[in-house]
Amino acid sequence: MCELLALNANTPTDMAFSFRGLSRRGGAVGQHADGWGLASFTPDGSGLDLIREDAPAAFSQLADQLAERSPKALVSIAHIRKATQGLVALENCHPFTRSWKGQTWVFAHNGNLDGAIPIGDSYRPFGSTDSEAAFCWILEQLQQEGVNPEDPAQISTRLHAYATELARMGTFNALISNGQWLFATATTRLHWLTRRAPFTTATLADPPLQIDFAPLTSSSDVVTILSTEPLTTDEAWTAVDSGSSMLWMNGECLHRHQP
């Protein structure tokens, strides 16, 4: 299946180091060679930088450039794809994006959902993946239920309920964001860590590259990274419990939902 990566921070932060580790798994040291994508919300919330390719990230010149210097953001979401449903094509590459009630939402999924996902009137997939269909279904439910887009607690509760329902169809590890917060849910594999002062060094597993965060940060910085599998070998990653969901804001876990 695919692999996920996300960043949530209290200050604009690039995801270059983590994306370097993820992109190597997109065809070089992993089998996720059917496309990749990186979405970063502009720090002022005015826009979204979204880049996708239907090619292996490990051998992509564009992905390599982003691994050197990705956009600084409060929220970024990345994905490398191993196709289980849908052709290897650009329209089937994650992350997917849609507009809901004036907000830009981004979604990426790891897993496989069996069975037909209902298609509504307001949101319809452009591609042929179960993932994009699930994203459209989630937005359709929010629209029908009249959820308040400015209420993170309500959003988090409803997204967890939708994730629980979709997980009955298979594996639903997913990331969703509107640029203000980051929602993460896991059926099987998802890990997280939070970096804060005192910042130290970290070493990627793929490739064995080390960075010292201390000179790159301030004492007030808080940066949380979520990844399908731990990206570094010398940091304490925490696995998200199966069936659980978390909503992150400014690098901190704001809401947590258990199965």
Side-chain angles (χ1 to χ4, degrees):
M1 290 184 286
C2 310
E3 289 204 20
L4 303 168
L5 172 66
L7 172 148
N8 179 244
N10 67 347
T11 188
T13 305
D14 71 71
M15 201 164 63
F17 179 70
S18 296
F19 186 71
R20 170 72 70 189
L22 180 76
S23 62
R24 285 285 295 164
R25 299 177 181 180
V29 295
Q31 300 178 346
H32 311 87
D34 298 326
W36 64 274
L38 172 62
S40 295
F41 288 89
T42 55
D44 62 2
S46 64
L48 177 75
D49 294 315
L50 174 62
I51 299 174
R52 302 188 299 176
E53 276 191 321
D54 54 351
F59 310 113
S60 165
Q61 183 177 1
L62 184 55
D64 189 60
Q65 292 172 356
L66 289 172
E68 288 297 325
R69 186 169 184 172
S70 68
K72 288 191 174 184
L74 300 180
V75 180
S76 291
I77 293 176
H79 183 277
I80 51 175
R81 183 175 185 236
K82 180 174 174 58
T84 54
Q85 295 188 35
L87 299 173
V88 177
L90 188 61
E91 63 268 21
N92 290 330
C93 293
H94 310 219
F96 302 105
T97 181
R98 291 291 193 280
S99 177
W100 178 64
K101 292 194 174 182
Q103 297 181 350
T104 298
W105 280 42
V106 168
F107 171 88
H109 168 229
N110 160 31
N112 189 53
L113 303 175
D114 296 320
I117 298 173
I119 303 299
D121 297 326
S122 300
Y123 296 94
R124 307 180 69 85
F126 298 115
S128 53
T129 65
D130 53 330
S131 304
E132 189 183 15
F135 182 35
C136 291
W137 179 81
I138 288 171
L139 292 173
E140 199 78 37
Q141 302 311 301
L142 290 169
Q143 183 87 346
Q144 292 178 5
E145 294 183 19
V147 177
N148 180 3
E150 303 299 331
D151 186 344
Q154 186 183 24
I155 289 285
S156 182
T157 298
R158 298 315 304 146
L159 289 180
H160 176 66
Y162 304 151
T164 300
E165 188 167 345
L166 288 165
R168 296 190 183 104
M169 302 177 65
T171 304
F172 192 71
N173 306 304
L175 302 167
I176 307 174
S177 180
N178 69 345
Q180 302 170 27
W181 44 256
L182 172 69
F183 176 85
T185 188
T187 302
T188 53
R189 299 178 301 148
L190 191 62
H191 298 78
W192 65 271
L193 68 81
T194 298
R195 298 182 181 122
R196 64 177 82 239
F199 289 91
T200 58
T201 60
T203 307
L204 286 176
D206 309 303
L209 176 69
Q210 189 174 81
I211 188 173
D212 183 0
F213 288 111
L216 306 174
T217 55
S218 72
S219 60
S220 60
D221 290 357
V222 180
V223 180
T224 291
I225 302 292
L226 295 102
S227 179
T228 297
E229 298 292 350
L231 292 170
T232 56
T233 58
D234 48 4
E235 294 182 289
W237 292 79
T238 301
V240 179
D241 293 335
S242 177
S244 298
S245 302
M246 309 169 80
L247 187 134
W248 299 84
M249 185 178 291
N250 296 321
E252 306 283 6
C253 183
L254 195 63
H255 300 286
R256 188 187 302 262
H257 306 274
Q258 299 296 335

